[in-house]
Amino acid sequence: MKFKQKIISSILSLSLVASNLFISNAAQQQLEAHFIDVGQGDSIYIELPDGTDILVDAGLASKGSNVVSYLKQQEKDIDIEYLIATHPDADHVGGMKEVFTELNVKNFYYPEDAESYSVIWNTVSILAGLEGCNIVDAKSGTNLNLSGVNIKFVQPSKDYSDNNDDSLVILVDYNNTEILLTGDATSQTEKDMVNSNLISDIDTWIVNLNQTNYLWITKQM
């Protein structure tokens, strides 16, 4: 199936997922992906089968409290084991000010080559340092194996002039199903990834979604 067709089918399938899928699979290992409504920008919460919590982006600063509130609804005393900034644009990292202030963050991943001198990004960077968390430049090829889930950063290693093109691209592989989170990467980045064989067939390709969606992927124990 061509990538464009997969994008369309992925969005349709996300909008049709019923909540009883989660409830009826209580006896199974499962990965949950929540696409939080932050208007412009992105915020994606992923809970791994072992309870590890990952947050990818957090929308604008004005949406930070919404993101934190949503996360606390999922787990009262939630810690964020992995906070990932795909790139330093305000509509992706602004809400991280609230995340760092209100929640315990253990690891912070970001693209060092996506430079920004904005007040918002400087504030987030300072808060990450004050948090005392592990700070990682998520270069292409960086890999995490967590609870049977493989998370790999597959953006091209080249340094683009546009921060959108420098977005981290995250490939989540679980139970032989692959999800691609692209930040604001443009068609040029996508072409470079394909031409460099960084990605091949993807089951679910997530582009910017401006409404809350949920995706459950289950695996029999």
Side-chain angles (χ1 to χ4, degrees):
M1 184 182 292
K2 293 185 180 297
F3 286 131
K4 184 177 289 187
Q5 293 173 316
K6 289 195 173 186
I7 293 172
I8 294 171
S9 63
S10 299
I11 293 173
L12 290 175
S13 65
L14 284 170
S15 65
L16 294 174
V17 171
S19 59
N20 63 357
L21 178 61
F22 168 67
I23 297 170
S24 64
N25 286 314
Q28 297 175 336
Q29 290 180 300
Q30 58 191 350
L31 179 150
E32 294 180 32
H34 300 217
F35 298 85
I36 304 171
D37 183 4
V38 291
Q40 179 182 340
D42 281 332
S43 186
I44 302 165
Y45 164 59
I46 300 172
E47 183 179 8
L48 302 188
D50 67 350
T52 296
D53 298 305
I54 300 172
L55 182 65
V56 181
D57 292 336
L60 290 162
S62 61
K63 299 295 184 179
S65 59
N66 294 9
V67 172
V68 169
S69 176
Y70 183 86
L71 294 172
K72 288 183 175 180
Q73 288 174 27
Q74 312 312 306
E75 185 180 334
K76 183 179 179 181
D77 297 317
I78 190 169
D79 289 333
I80 303 300
E81 277 76 27
Y82 294 90
L83 177 62
I84 302 173
T86 58
H87 62 298
D89 285 2
D91 57 344
H92 288 254
V93 301
M96 289 185 182
K97 294 191 295 182
E98 191 82 10
V99 173
F100 274 118
T101 301
E102 297 294 329
L103 302 176
N104 180 32
V105 177
K106 297 182 179 179
N107 297 278
F108 180 51
Y109 281 60
Y110 78 107
E112 190 174 280
D113 59 358
E115 295 182 345
S116 176
Y117 302 99
S118 71
V119 173
I120 289 174
W121 178 244
N122 286 339
T123 300
V124 169
S125 299
I126 291 169
L127 289 172
L130 293 174
E131 181 80 6
C133 59
N134 183 36
I135 300 176
V136 179
D137 176 14
K139 296 179 179 179
S140 183
T142 300
N143 198 62
L144 296 169
N145 285 294
L146 306 166
S147 184
V149 181
N150 183 258
I151 299 171
K152 188 172 183 179
F153 296 87
V154 296
Q155 69 279 357
S157 57
K158 65 190 293 186
D159 188 4
Y160 297 92
S161 59
D162 187 333
N163 273 349
N164 286 335
D165 282 317
D166 276 326
S167 290
L168 298 182
V169 178
I170 306 160
L171 181 63
V172 181
D173 187 354
Y174 178 62
N175 193 22
N176 296 319
T177 297
E178 295 180 321
I179 306 170
L180 193 70
L181 308 177
T182 62
D184 275 347
T186 68
S187 58
Q188 182 58 57
T189 306
E190 293 168 2
K191 289 176 183 176
D192 290 342
M193 286 190 297
V194 173
N195 292 337
S196 301
N197 295 316
L198 292 169
I199 56 172
S200 53
D201 289 337
I202 302 296
D203 300 294
T204 305
W205 187 314
I206 305 299
V207 294
N208 264 326
L209 297 176
N210 290 325
Q211 58 182 1
T212 302
N213 288 284
Y214 306 87
L215 175 66
W216 289 270
I217 301 174
T218 61
K219 180 179 181 180
Q220 288 288 114
M221 294 183 68

